[in-house]
């Protein structure tokens, strides 16, 4: 018996010398907590503890997490997801901002080029009025630039002011060059009567149609780029819901509470969490696709017959043709002007404008370089913007790519434990499907995102409905209005009751047209309070010089006498018809 006890005693004596099992520690959890800059290391306990106040990572036994750690985890996931969204946005935002700057620079360059191109017409061909015309030309292109910028600057108003200011120069320097200068009252009368006389013909009508469409497309493109930047900025500041924040902590940091700092979430689990968190951003998908489609249409509309470069550079040719037409109508215009404004009178202060020193330099038209070519810029923009159509529906996939989730079939975290695969339903990114999301409860849409969606839809509607039709812009150069038919006279006011028929039935068409113009002009003269009453003032355009509204006290009597003198044949004719 003693011999049997000896081996047992020897074994018992060896037990204390065997290595014991390592006690549980939170050392790796603390290291990860500090390495990822989540918070101070002292917040992490040395060893797992028993706690009952955790709201997200509910422990099965002891845990390495505390309530304060959970709060730090929530701040960390909010900051990390916002940063990741900003990173994904960066490339798209950079492209939008870069093209916004490029389009603005190109628009400015084209306006400057077209301005110089038109100024060179006066410097080389119409030198006698070149210096006086410079201000009007620059003002016209300033108005066009403001139109592109989105200012309330109607195109027909801008050109009407330009023709108003150009007519006195053409009349003084080309039609009646023998007169040294015209009085301020006479110049003012020329401006006021220009619209009814239509001295420049209808050369600008077609140009206005094309230019209107080109400027509209360019203006809408500029606004579209601004809208795209607003959308991107709004997605970065949409905010995360409480349910989303809790789901992110559960996915990324609850494994740490069990000491599992290296395990990663299953890809299906990650997709559900991200799609639930980004449900509001995913609701941008459809309006964003429609917006990109509209932008592509605008880019296409900026080419071809709506090419802004050709439309702006073509203004020079239209101005040249219009001036030459006015010269060819010189005798007719002189007769019309003298009937309304009186005979030509020299200004008391004779300004020998014809003897002014003229610059002999010819302003060459700068070539449109590839760098400033709107066509090249348009093609480059389409190439970069097309891939962004699916930007908001693929956010979750891109966020779960890389190191965040496991895709190779390895063990992964499913929100509760380490598993071989995720078995819950994986929902789509569609907002309506989030009702079935097993990981994130989506209560409603985001207010900020709803506001930007409404803005997008309004912009899309405006762009889709705004289709400039040729008949809407069918205006003659001198009309200042819309919907002018070719069968009307220059004033558009003549009908059977205006005395346009009768004695003139046997006249040739050209004479008939002039009779209509003359009758209309006199009718307007009799109705115009500025022409009949020198004390009345016409409200000038906001940015016109107030000197255009000079009084015409001694000229008004001449205007009335001329009008009555001209109307006398028609009055006599009417009386004869009544007697008959």
């Amino acid at each position: 018996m003693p011999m049997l006890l000896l081996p047992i005693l020897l074994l018992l004596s060896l037990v204390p010398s065997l290595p014991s099992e390592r006690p549980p520690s939170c050392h790796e959890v603390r290291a990860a907590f500090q390495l990822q800059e989540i918070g101070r290391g002292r917040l992490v306990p040395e060893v797992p503890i028993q706690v009952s106040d955790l709201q997200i990572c509910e422990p099965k036994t002891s845990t390495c997490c505390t309530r304060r750690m959970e709060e730090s985890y929530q701040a960390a996931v909010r900051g990390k997801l916002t940063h990741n969204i900003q990173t994904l946005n960066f490339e798209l935002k950079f492209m939008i901002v870069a093209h916004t700057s490029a389009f603005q620079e190109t628009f400015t360059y084209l306006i400057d080029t077209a301005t110089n191109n038109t100024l060179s017409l006066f410097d080389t061909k119409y030198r006698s009025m070149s210096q006086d015309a410079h201000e009007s030309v620059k003002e016209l292109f300033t108005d066009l630039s403001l139109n592109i910028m989105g200012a309330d600057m109607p195109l027909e108003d801008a050109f009407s002011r330009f023709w108003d200011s150009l007519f006195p120069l053409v009349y003084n320097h080309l039609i009646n060059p023998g007169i040294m200068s015209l009085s301020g009252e006479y110049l003012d009368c020329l401006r006021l009567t220009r619209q009814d006389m239509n001295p420049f013909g209808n050369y600008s009508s077609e140009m206005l149609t094309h230019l209107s469409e080109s400027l509209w497309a360019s203006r809408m493109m500029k606004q579209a780029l601004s809208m795209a930047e607003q959308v991107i900025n709004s997605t970065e500041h949409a905010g995360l819901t409480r349910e989303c924040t809790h789901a992110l902590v559960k996915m990324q940091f609850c494994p740490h509470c069990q000491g599992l700092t290296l395990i990663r979430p299953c890809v299906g689990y990650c997709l559900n969490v991200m799609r639930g968190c980004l449900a509001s951003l995913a609701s941008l998908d459809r309006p964003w696709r429609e917006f990109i489609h509209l932008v592509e249409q605008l880019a296409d509309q900026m080419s071809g017959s709506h090419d802004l470069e050709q439309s702006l550079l073509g203004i020079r040719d239209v101005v040249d043709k219009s001036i030459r037409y006015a010269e060819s109508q010189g005798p007719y215009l002189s007769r019309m002007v003298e009937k309304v404004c009186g005979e030509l009178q020299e200004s008391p202060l004779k300004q020998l404008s014809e003897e002014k020193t003229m610059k002999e330099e010819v302003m060459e038209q700068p070539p449109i370089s590839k760098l400033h070519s709107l066509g090249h810029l348009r093609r480059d923009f389409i190439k970069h913007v097309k891939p962004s159509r699916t930007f908001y529906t693929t956010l979750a996939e891109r966020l779960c790519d890389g190191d965040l989730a496991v895709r190779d079939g390895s063990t992964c975290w499913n929100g509760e434990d380490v598993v071989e695969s995720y078995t819950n339903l994986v929902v789509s990114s569609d907002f309506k499907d989030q009702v079935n999301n097993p990981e994130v409860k989506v209560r409603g849409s985001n207010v900020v995102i709803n506001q930007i969606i409404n803005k997008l839809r309004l912009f899309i509607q405006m762009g889709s409905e705004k289709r400039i039709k040729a008949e809407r812009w069918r205006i003659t150069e001198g009309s200042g209005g819309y919907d002018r038919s070719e069968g009307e006279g220059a004033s558009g006011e003549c009908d059977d009751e205006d005395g346009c028929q009768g004695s003139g039935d046997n006249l040739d068409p050209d004479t008939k047209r002039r009779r209509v113009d003359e009758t209309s002009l006199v009718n307007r003269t009799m109705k115009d309070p500025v022409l009949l009453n020198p004390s009345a003032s016409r409200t000038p355009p906001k940015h016109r010089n107030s000197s255009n509204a000079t009084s015409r006290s001694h000229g008004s009597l001449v205007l009335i006498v001329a009008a009555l003198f001209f109307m006398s044949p028609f009055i006599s004719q009417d009386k004869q018809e009544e007697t008959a």
Side-chain angles (χ1 to χ4, degrees), residues 95-96 99 103 221 225 295-296 299 376-386:
M95 185 271 292
I96 295 294
H99 279 88
F103 272 110
M221 176 61 77
L225 291 169
V295 168
E296 292 178 28
H376 172 74
L377 179 60
R378 177 188 62 83
R379 290 188 295 271
D380 182 73
F381 177 64
I382 291 178
K383 181 181 72 174
H384 284 88
V385 80
K386 271 188 174 181

Side-chain angles (χ1 to χ4, degrees), residues 169-188:
L169 301 181
V170 173
Y171 190 80
N172 192 183
H173 293 278
L174 300 180
I175 297 177
N176 290 283
I179 300 299
M180 294 303 181
S181 62
L182 299 178
S183 66
E185 295 175 357
Y186 209 94
L187 290 173
D188 197 29

Side-chain angles (χ1 to χ4, degrees), residues 118-119 122-123 126-140 161-174 179-182 187 191 323 351-359 544 548:
T118 306
L119 288 174
F122 293 93
D123 292 340
Y126 303 109
R127 294 188 178 186
S128 62
M129 58 180 180
S130 175
Q131 291 185 349
D132 294 330
H134 271 220
E135 182 181 352
S136 298
V137 171
K138 291 178 180 179
E139 182 179 332
L140 171 64
R161 287 191 295 271
F162 173 71
W163 298 124
D164 285 346
S165 62
L166 185 62
F167 179 52
L169 301 181
V170 173
Y171 190 80
N172 192 183
H173 293 278
L174 300 180
I179 300 299
M180 294 303 181
S181 62
L182 299 178
L187 290 173
R191 295 187 189 98
I323 292 176
Q351 299 177 355
L352 302 180
S353 57
E354 306 301 328
E355 298 179 3
K356 289 182 179 178
T357 302
M358 301 299 299
K359 295 183 179 179
R544 298 291 290 177
N548 292 342

Side-chain angles (χ1 to χ4, degrees), residues 234-365:
S234 69
T235 62
E236 296 178 356
H237 304 93
L240 303 177
T241 64
R242 178 175 176 272
E243 289 78 10
C244 168
T245 303
H246 284 193
L248 289 170
V249 171
K250 187 177 181 180
M251 179 179 74
Q252 294 181 254
F253 292 115
C254 283
H256 290 207
C257 298
Q258 300 181 27
L260 306 172
T261 56
L262 300 179
I263 198 72
R264 290 183 295 166
C266 307
V267 65
Y269 176 46
C270 178
L271 288 173
N272 275 341
V273 172
M274 290 302 179
R275 285 171 178 169
C277 284
L278 304 178
S280 292
L281 298 190
S283 63
L284 274 166
D285 178 55
R286 182 173 179 179
W288 179 256
R289 287 174 185 265
E290 294 174 353
F291 173 75
I292 295 300
H293 179 66
L294 173 61
V295 168
E296 292 178 28
Q297 288 182 324
L298 291 173
D300 289 338
Q301 190 169 345
M302 293 169 69
S303 63
S305 61
H306 302 151
D307 192 317
L308 183 62
E309 297 174 14
Q310 300 304 319
S311 297
L312 289 175
L313 294 178
I315 292 176
R316 172 194 167 118
D317 187 50
V318 171
V319 172
D320 186 25
K321 289 180 179 179
S322 300
I323 292 176
R324 285 191 280 119
Y325 176 83
E327 281 189 281
S328 69
Q329 301 293 309
Y332 161 65
L333 293 175
S334 294
R335 186 171 69 254
M336 292 278 287
V337 167
E338 289 181 5
K339 287 177 180 178
V340 177
C341 299
E343 295 182 0
L344 290 173
Q345 299 177 2
E346 294 185 11
S347 173
L349 297 176
K350 296 181 180 181
Q351 299 177 355
L352 302 180
S353 57
E354 306 301 328
E355 298 179 3
K356 289 182 179 178
T357 302
M358 301 299 299
K359 295 183 179 179
E360 298 298 330
E361 300 178 358
V362 177
M363 303 182 70
E364 297 182 357
Q365 175 186 342

